[in-house]
Short mmCIF file of all heavy atoms in Angstrom, two decimals:
data_model
loop_
_atom_site.label_atom_id
_atom_site.label_comp_id
_atom_site.label_asym_id
_atom_site.label_seq_id
_atom_site.Cartn_x
_atom_site.Cartn_y
_atom_site.Cartn_z
N ASN A 921 1.35 -3.05 52.45
CA ASN A 921 0.38 -3.78 53.27
C ASN A 921 0.47 -5.29 53.06
O ASN A 921 0.40 -6.07 54.01
CB ASN A 921 -1.05 -3.31 52.93
CG ASN A 921 -1.30 -1.87 53.38
OD1 ASN A 921 -0.50 -1.29 54.12
ND2 ASN A 921 -2.38 -1.29 52.94
N ASN A 924 3.54 -6.54 54.79
CA ASN A 924 3.31 -6.61 56.24
C ASN A 924 2.43 -7.80 56.61
O ASN A 924 2.64 -8.44 57.66
CB ASN A 924 2.66 -5.30 56.74
CG ASN A 924 3.63 -4.13 56.72
OD1 ASN A 924 4.85 -4.33 56.74
ND2 ASN A 924 3.11 -2.92 56.69
N ALA A 925 1.44 -8.10 55.74
CA ALA A 925 0.57 -9.25 56.00
C ALA A 925 1.38 -10.55 55.91
O ALA A 925 1.19 -11.47 56.73
CB ALA A 925 -0.59 -9.27 55.00
N PHE A 928 3.44 -10.90 58.98
CA PHE A 928 2.59 -11.36 60.08
C PHE A 928 2.40 -12.89 60.01
O PHE A 928 2.57 -13.60 61.01
CB PHE A 928 1.24 -10.66 60.03
CG PHE A 928 0.19 -11.29 60.89
CD1 PHE A 928 0.16 -11.07 62.26
CD2 PHE A 928 -0.78 -12.12 60.34
CE1 PHE A 928 -0.81 -11.67 63.07
CE2 PHE A 928 -1.75 -12.71 61.13
CZ PHE A 928 -1.76 -12.49 62.50
N LEU A 963 -8.40 -18.89 61.52
CA LEU A 963 -8.96 -17.72 62.19
C LEU A 963 -7.88 -16.73 62.63
O LEU A 963 -7.89 -15.57 62.23
CB LEU A 963 -9.80 -18.18 63.40
CG LEU A 963 -10.84 -17.18 63.90
CD1 LEU A 963 -11.87 -16.92 62.83
CD2 LEU A 963 -11.51 -17.71 65.16
N THR A 964 -6.93 -17.21 63.41
CA THR A 964 -5.92 -16.32 63.97
C THR A 964 -5.02 -15.72 62.90
O THR A 964 -4.53 -14.61 63.03
CB THR A 964 -5.06 -17.07 65.00
OG1 THR A 964 -5.91 -17.80 65.87
CG2 THR A 964 -4.20 -16.13 65.81
N ASP A 965 -4.81 -16.48 61.84
CA ASP A 965 -3.97 -15.99 60.73
C ASP A 965 -4.76 -15.11 59.77
O ASP A 965 -4.37 -13.98 59.49
CB ASP A 965 -3.40 -17.17 59.94
CG ASP A 965 -2.11 -17.68 60.56
OD1 ASP A 965 -1.69 -17.13 61.59
OD2 ASP A 965 -1.53 -18.63 60.01
N SER A 966 -5.85 -15.63 59.25
CA SER A 966 -6.52 -15.02 58.11
C SER A 966 -7.08 -13.63 58.38
O SER A 966 -6.79 -12.68 57.64
CB SER A 966 -7.64 -15.94 57.63
OG SER A 966 -7.13 -17.20 57.29
N LEU A 967 -7.88 -13.50 59.43
CA LEU A 967 -8.56 -12.22 59.65
C LEU A 967 -7.59 -11.07 59.94
O LEU A 967 -7.70 -10.01 59.32
CB LEU A 967 -9.60 -12.37 60.77
CG LEU A 967 -10.79 -13.30 60.46
CD1 LEU A 967 -11.75 -13.35 61.63
CD2 LEU A 967 -11.51 -12.83 59.20
N PRO A 968 -6.61 -11.23 60.86
CA PRO A 968 -5.68 -10.13 61.07
C PRO A 968 -4.85 -9.81 59.82
O PRO A 968 -4.54 -8.65 59.55
CB PRO A 968 -4.77 -10.64 62.20
CG PRO A 968 -5.58 -11.66 62.91
CD PRO A 968 -6.40 -12.31 61.84
N ALA A 969 -4.49 -10.85 59.05
CA ALA A 969 -3.70 -10.62 57.83
C ALA A 969 -4.49 -9.79 56.82
O ALA A 969 -3.95 -8.86 56.19
CB ALA A 969 -3.29 -11.95 57.21
N ILE A 970 -5.77 -10.11 56.66
CA ILE A 970 -6.62 -9.31 55.77
C ILE A 970 -6.74 -7.88 56.29
O ILE A 970 -6.65 -6.91 55.52
CB ILE A 970 -8.02 -9.95 55.64
CG1 ILE A 970 -7.91 -11.28 54.88
CG2 ILE A 970 -8.99 -9.02 54.92
CD1 ILE A 970 -9.18 -12.11 54.90
N ALA A 971 -6.91 -7.74 57.60
CA ALA A 971 -7.01 -6.41 58.22
C ALA A 971 -5.74 -5.59 57.98
O ALA A 971 -5.81 -4.40 57.69
CB ALA A 971 -7.28 -6.55 59.71
N ILE A 972 -4.58 -6.24 58.08
CA ILE A 972 -3.31 -5.54 57.82
C ILE A 972 -3.26 -5.11 56.36
O ILE A 972 -2.78 -4.02 56.04
CB ILE A 972 -2.12 -6.46 58.17
CG1 ILE A 972 -2.06 -6.69 59.68
CG2 ILE A 972 -0.79 -5.87 57.67
CD1 ILE A 972 -1.17 -7.86 60.08
N GLY A 973 -3.77 -5.96 55.48
CA GLY A 973 -3.81 -5.61 54.05
C GLY A 973 -4.69 -4.43 53.75
O GLY A 973 -4.55 -3.78 52.71
N LEU A 974 -5.63 -4.12 54.65
CA LEU A 974 -6.56 -3.00 54.45
C LEU A 974 -6.12 -1.75 55.23
O LEU A 974 -6.90 -0.83 55.42
CB LEU A 974 -7.97 -3.40 54.88
CG LEU A 974 -8.57 -4.61 54.14
CD1 LEU A 974 -9.96 -4.93 54.67
CD2 LEU A 974 -8.63 -4.34 52.64
N GLU A 975 -4.87 -1.74 55.67
CA GLU A 975 -4.32 -0.58 56.38
C GLU A 975 -4.48 0.69 55.53
O GLU A 975 -4.23 0.67 54.32
CB GLU A 975 -2.83 -0.82 56.68
CG GLU A 975 -2.15 0.26 57.48
CD GLU A 975 -2.57 0.29 58.94
OE1 GLU A 975 -3.10 -0.73 59.44
OE2 GLU A 975 -2.37 1.34 59.58
N PRO A 976 -4.94 1.80 56.13
CA PRO A 976 -5.09 3.05 55.36
C PRO A 976 -3.79 3.44 54.68
O PRO A 976 -2.70 3.18 55.18
CB PRO A 976 -5.47 4.08 56.44
CG PRO A 976 -6.09 3.27 57.53
CD PRO A 976 -5.36 1.96 57.53
N LEU A 1039 -3.35 -16.17 70.95
CA LEU A 1039 -3.58 -14.80 71.39
C LEU A 1039 -2.39 -13.89 71.06
O LEU A 1039 -2.58 -12.73 70.68
CB LEU A 1039 -3.85 -14.80 72.90
CG LEU A 1039 -4.36 -13.47 73.50
CD1 LEU A 1039 -5.61 -12.98 72.75
CD2 LEU A 1039 -4.67 -13.64 74.98
N ARG A 1041 -0.45 -14.13 68.54
CA ARG A 1041 -0.52 -13.83 67.11
C ARG A 1041 -1.62 -12.82 66.81
O ARG A 1041 -1.47 -11.97 65.92
CB ARG A 1041 -0.73 -15.13 66.32
CG ARG A 1041 0.54 -15.98 66.31
CD ARG A 1041 0.34 -17.35 65.72
NE ARG A 1041 0.26 -17.36 64.27
CZ ARG A 1041 0.48 -18.44 63.53
NH1 ARG A 1041 0.81 -19.60 64.10
NH2 ARG A 1041 0.38 -18.39 62.22
N LEU A 1042 -2.72 -12.89 67.55
CA LEU A 1042 -3.77 -11.88 67.38
C LEU A 1042 -3.25 -10.49 67.75
O LEU A 1042 -3.48 -9.52 67.03
CB LEU A 1042 -4.99 -12.23 68.24
CG LEU A 1042 -5.88 -13.37 67.75
CD1 LEU A 1042 -6.91 -13.73 68.82
CD2 LEU A 1042 -6.60 -12.96 66.46
N VAL A 1043 -2.53 -10.42 68.89
CA VAL A 1043 -1.96 -9.14 69.32
C VAL A 1043 -0.87 -8.69 68.35
O VAL A 1043 -0.70 -7.50 68.08
CB VAL A 1043 -1.40 -9.26 70.77
CG1 VAL A 1043 -0.74 -7.96 71.19
CG2 VAL A 1043 -2.52 -9.63 71.74
N HIS A 1044 -0.13 -9.68 67.82
CA HIS A 1044 0.95 -9.38 66.88
C HIS A 1044 0.43 -8.70 65.60
O HIS A 1044 1.18 -8.03 64.90
CB HIS A 1044 1.69 -10.67 66.53
CG HIS A 1044 2.91 -10.46 65.68
ND1 HIS A 1044 3.93 -9.59 66.04
CD2 HIS A 1044 3.27 -11.00 64.49
CE1 HIS A 1044 4.86 -9.60 65.10
NE2 HIS A 1044 4.49 -10.45 64.15
N GLY A 1045 -0.87 -8.88 65.33
CA GLY A 1045 -1.48 -8.20 64.18
C GLY A 1045 -1.32 -6.69 64.25
O GLY A 1045 -1.14 -6.02 63.24
N PHE A 1046 -1.33 -6.14 65.47
CA PHE A 1046 -1.13 -4.69 65.64
C PHE A 1046 0.33 -4.31 65.35
O PHE A 1046 0.60 -3.25 64.79
CB PHE A 1046 -1.52 -4.27 67.06
CG PHE A 1046 -2.99 -4.41 67.36
CD1 PHE A 1046 -3.47 -5.52 68.04
CD2 PHE A 1046 -3.90 -3.46 66.93
CE1 PHE A 1046 -4.83 -5.67 68.32
CE2 PHE A 1046 -5.26 -3.59 67.19
CZ PHE A 1046 -5.73 -4.70 67.89
N ASN A 1047 1.25 -5.17 65.74
CA ASN A 1047 2.68 -4.93 65.46
C ASN A 1047 2.94 -4.85 63.97
O ASN A 1047 3.75 -4.04 63.51
CB ASN A 1047 3.53 -6.08 66.02
CG ASN A 1047 3.91 -5.86 67.47
OD1 ASN A 1047 4.08 -4.73 67.91
ND2 ASN A 1047 3.99 -6.95 68.21
N SER A 1048 2.29 -5.73 63.22
CA SER A 1048 2.60 -5.90 61.80
C SER A 1048 1.95 -4.85 60.90
O SER A 1048 2.16 -4.87 59.69
CB SER A 1048 2.17 -7.29 61.33
OG SER A 1048 2.85 -8.29 62.06
N ARG A 1049 1.18 -3.95 61.47
CA ARG A 1049 0.52 -2.92 60.66
C ARG A 1049 1.51 -2.02 59.94
O ARG A 1049 1.25 -1.54 58.84
CB ARG A 1049 -0.41 -2.07 61.53
CG ARG A 1049 -1.72 -2.72 61.90
CD ARG A 1049 -2.54 -1.82 62.81
NE ARG A 1049 -2.71 -0.49 62.22
CZ ARG A 1049 -3.19 0.55 62.89
NH1 ARG A 1049 -3.51 0.42 64.17
NH2 ARG A 1049 -3.32 1.71 62.29
N SER A 1050 2.64 -1.75 60.60
CA SER A 1050 3.60 -0.81 60.01
C SER A 1050 4.98 -1.04 60.59
O SER A 1050 5.13 -1.64 61.67
CB SER A 1050 3.15 0.64 60.30
OG SER A 1050 4.14 1.57 59.94
N ILE A 1054 2.86 1.55 66.60
CA ILE A 1054 1.41 1.71 66.49
C ILE A 1054 0.95 3.04 67.09
O ILE A 1054 -0.05 3.62 66.69
CB ILE A 1054 0.69 0.52 67.17
CG1 ILE A 1054 -0.79 0.51 66.77
CG2 ILE A 1054 0.84 0.56 68.68
CD1 ILE A 1054 -1.53 -0.71 67.23
N ILE A 1057 1.53 5.71 64.18
CA ILE A 1057 0.58 5.71 63.06
C ILE A 1057 -0.86 5.86 63.53
O ILE A 1057 -1.76 6.18 62.75
CB ILE A 1057 0.72 4.43 62.22
CG1 ILE A 1057 0.39 3.19 63.05
CG2 ILE A 1057 2.09 4.33 61.61
CD1 ILE A 1057 0.31 1.90 62.22
N GLY A 1058 -1.10 5.64 64.81
CA GLY A 1058 -2.46 5.77 65.36
C GLY A 1058 -3.04 4.44 65.76
O GLY A 1058 -3.15 3.52 64.94
N LEU A 1059 -3.41 4.32 67.01
CA LEU A 1059 -3.90 3.06 67.55
C LEU A 1059 -5.22 2.63 66.92
O LEU A 1059 -5.49 1.45 66.76
CB LEU A 1059 -4.05 3.19 69.08
CG LEU A 1059 -4.27 1.92 69.88
CD1 LEU A 1059 -3.13 0.95 69.70
CD2 LEU A 1059 -4.46 2.25 71.36
N PHE A 1060 -6.03 3.62 66.54
CA PHE A 1060 -7.39 3.31 66.07
C PHE A 1060 -7.62 3.70 64.61
O PHE A 1060 -8.76 3.86 64.18
CB PHE A 1060 -8.43 4.01 66.96
CG PHE A 1060 -8.37 3.58 68.41
CD1 PHE A 1060 -7.72 4.38 69.34
CD2 PHE A 1060 -8.92 2.38 68.82
CE1 PHE A 1060 -7.66 3.99 70.68
CE2 PHE A 1060 -8.86 1.98 70.13
CZ PHE A 1060 -8.22 2.77 71.07
N THR A 1061 -6.54 3.88 63.85
CA THR A 1061 -6.70 4.30 62.44
C THR A 1061 -7.12 3.16 61.52
O THR A 1061 -7.54 3.40 60.41
CB THR A 1061 -5.39 4.92 61.91
OG1 THR A 1061 -4.30 4.02 62.17
CG2 THR A 1061 -5.12 6.26 62.57
N ASN A 1062 -6.97 1.91 61.99
CA ASN A 1062 -7.42 0.77 61.18
C ASN A 1062 -8.44 -0.02 61.99
O ASN A 1062 -8.09 -0.85 62.83
CB ASN A 1062 -6.22 -0.12 60.79
CG ASN A 1062 -6.62 -1.25 59.85
OD1 ASN A 1062 -7.80 -1.52 59.64
ND2 ASN A 1062 -5.62 -1.91 59.29
N LYS A 1063 -9.70 0.23 61.71
CA LYS A 1063 -10.78 -0.43 62.47
C LYS A 1063 -10.82 -1.94 62.21
O LYS A 1063 -11.31 -2.71 63.04
CB LYS A 1063 -12.12 0.20 62.12
CG LYS A 1063 -12.50 0.06 60.65
CD LYS A 1063 -13.80 0.81 60.35
CE LYS A 1063 -14.15 0.67 58.86
NZ LYS A 1063 -15.36 1.44 58.51
N PHE A 1064 -10.29 -2.34 61.02
CA PHE A 1064 -10.35 -3.77 60.67
C PHE A 1064 -9.47 -4.62 61.58
O PHE A 1064 -9.79 -5.77 61.86
CB PHE A 1064 -9.94 -3.96 59.21
CG PHE A 1064 -10.86 -3.27 58.24
CD1 PHE A 1064 -10.45 -2.14 57.55
CD2 PHE A 1064 -12.15 -3.74 58.01
CE1 PHE A 1064 -11.28 -1.50 56.66
CE2 PHE A 1064 -13.00 -3.11 57.12
CZ PHE A 1064 -12.57 -1.99 56.45
N THR A 1065 -8.32 -4.07 62.01
CA THR A 1065 -7.46 -4.84 62.92
C THR A 1065 -8.15 -5.08 64.26
O THR A 1065 -8.01 -6.14 64.86
CB THR A 1065 -6.11 -4.12 63.15
OG1 THR A 1065 -6.35 -2.78 63.56
CG2 THR A 1065 -5.25 -4.14 61.92
N TRP A 1066 -8.89 -4.08 64.72
CA TRP A 1066 -9.63 -4.25 65.98
C TRP A 1066 -10.76 -5.26 65.81
O TRP A 1066 -11.00 -6.07 66.71
CB TRP A 1066 -10.19 -2.90 66.44
CG TRP A 1066 -9.15 -2.04 67.07
CD1 TRP A 1066 -8.47 -1.02 66.50
CD2 TRP A 1066 -8.63 -2.16 68.40
NE1 TRP A 1066 -7.56 -0.49 67.39
CE2 TRP A 1066 -7.64 -1.16 68.57
CE3 TRP A 1066 -8.91 -3.02 69.46
CZ2 TRP A 1066 -6.94 -1.01 69.75
CZ3 TRP A 1066 -8.21 -2.86 70.66
CH2 TRP A 1066 -7.23 -1.85 70.78
N LEU A 1067 -11.42 -5.23 64.65
CA LEU A 1067 -12.50 -6.18 64.40
C LEU A 1067 -11.95 -7.60 64.32
O LEU A 1067 -12.52 -8.53 64.90
CB LEU A 1067 -13.21 -5.81 63.08
CG LEU A 1067 -14.41 -6.67 62.68
CD1 LEU A 1067 -15.52 -6.56 63.72
CD2 LEU A 1067 -14.93 -6.26 61.30
N ALA A 1068 -10.82 -7.77 63.62
CA ALA A 1068 -10.18 -9.09 63.52
C ALA A 1068 -9.75 -9.60 64.89
O ALA A 1068 -9.93 -10.78 65.21
CB ALA A 1068 -8.97 -9.02 62.58
N PHE A 1069 -9.16 -8.69 65.69
CA PHE A 1069 -8.73 -9.07 67.05
C PHE A 1069 -9.92 -9.50 67.90
O PHE A 1069 -9.87 -10.53 68.60
CB PHE A 1069 -8.00 -7.91 67.71
CG PHE A 1069 -7.64 -8.17 69.15
CD1 PHE A 1069 -6.53 -8.94 69.47
CD2 PHE A 1069 -8.43 -7.67 70.18
CE1 PHE A 1069 -6.20 -9.20 70.79
CE2 PHE A 1069 -8.11 -7.93 71.52
CZ PHE A 1069 -6.99 -8.69 71.81
N LEU A 1070 -10.99 -8.72 67.81
CA LEU A 1070 -12.18 -9.01 68.63
C LEU A 1070 -12.79 -10.36 68.26
O LEU A 1070 -13.12 -11.17 69.14
CB LEU A 1070 -13.21 -7.90 68.45
CG LEU A 1070 -14.44 -7.95 69.37
CD1 LEU A 1070 -14.03 -7.83 70.84
CD2 LEU A 1070 -15.43 -6.85 69.01
N ILE A 1071 -12.91 -10.64 66.95
CA ILE A 1071 -13.47 -11.92 66.50
C ILE A 1071 -12.58 -13.08 66.95
O ILE A 1071 -13.06 -14.10 67.47
CB ILE A 1071 -13.64 -11.93 64.96
CG1 ILE A 1071 -14.74 -10.95 64.54
CG2 ILE A 1071 -13.98 -13.35 64.47
CD1 ILE A 1071 -14.82 -10.72 63.04
N GLY A 1072 -11.27 -12.92 66.78
CA GLY A 1072 -10.32 -13.97 67.19
C GLY A 1072 -10.33 -14.19 68.69
O GLY A 1072 -10.30 -15.34 69.16
N PHE A 1073 -10.35 -13.09 69.44
CA PHE A 1073 -10.35 -13.16 70.92
C PHE A 1073 -11.59 -13.89 71.42
O PHE A 1073 -11.51 -14.80 72.27
CB PHE A 1073 -10.28 -11.75 71.50
CG PHE A 1073 -10.18 -11.70 73.00
CD1 PHE A 1073 -8.96 -11.84 73.63
CD2 PHE A 1073 -11.32 -11.51 73.78
CE1 PHE A 1073 -8.86 -11.78 75.01
CE2 PHE A 1073 -11.23 -11.46 75.16
CZ PHE A 1073 -10.00 -11.59 75.78
N LEU A 1074 -12.77 -13.51 70.90
CA LEU A 1074 -14.01 -14.14 71.33
C LEU A 1074 -14.08 -15.61 70.89
O LEU A 1074 -14.56 -16.46 71.64
CB LEU A 1074 -15.21 -13.37 70.75
CG LEU A 1074 -15.41 -11.94 71.30
CD1 LEU A 1074 -16.56 -11.25 70.57
CD2 LEU A 1074 -15.68 -11.98 72.82
N PHE A 1110 4.38 -8.11 71.85
CA PHE A 1110 3.90 -6.81 71.41
C PHE A 1110 4.68 -5.68 72.08
O PHE A 1110 5.12 -4.72 71.42
CB PHE A 1110 2.40 -6.69 71.71
CG PHE A 1110 1.83 -5.31 71.51
CD1 PHE A 1110 1.49 -4.86 70.25
CD2 PHE A 1110 1.64 -4.45 72.60
CE1 PHE A 1110 0.97 -3.58 70.07
CE2 PHE A 1110 1.13 -3.18 72.42
CZ PHE A 1110 0.78 -2.74 71.15
#
Side-chain angles (χ1 to χ4, degrees):
N921 292 348
N924 288 338
F928 166 78
L963 201 63
T964 313
D965 274 1
S966 302
L967 294 181
I970 292 170
I972 292 164
L974 301 179
E975 183 72 19
L1039 191 55
R1041 288 171 76 160
L1042 285 171
V1043 177
H1044 186 54
F1046 293 99
N1047 273 328
S1048 300
R1049 283 178 53 192
S1050 171
I1054 194 172
I1057 62 172
L1059 192 60
F1060 299 100
T1061 51
N1062 185 348
K1063 62 184 179 183
F1064 297 108
T1065 52
W1066 283 99
L1067 182 62
F1069 175 80
L1070 187 62
I1071 292 171
F1073 184 83
L1074 293 176
F1110 170 81

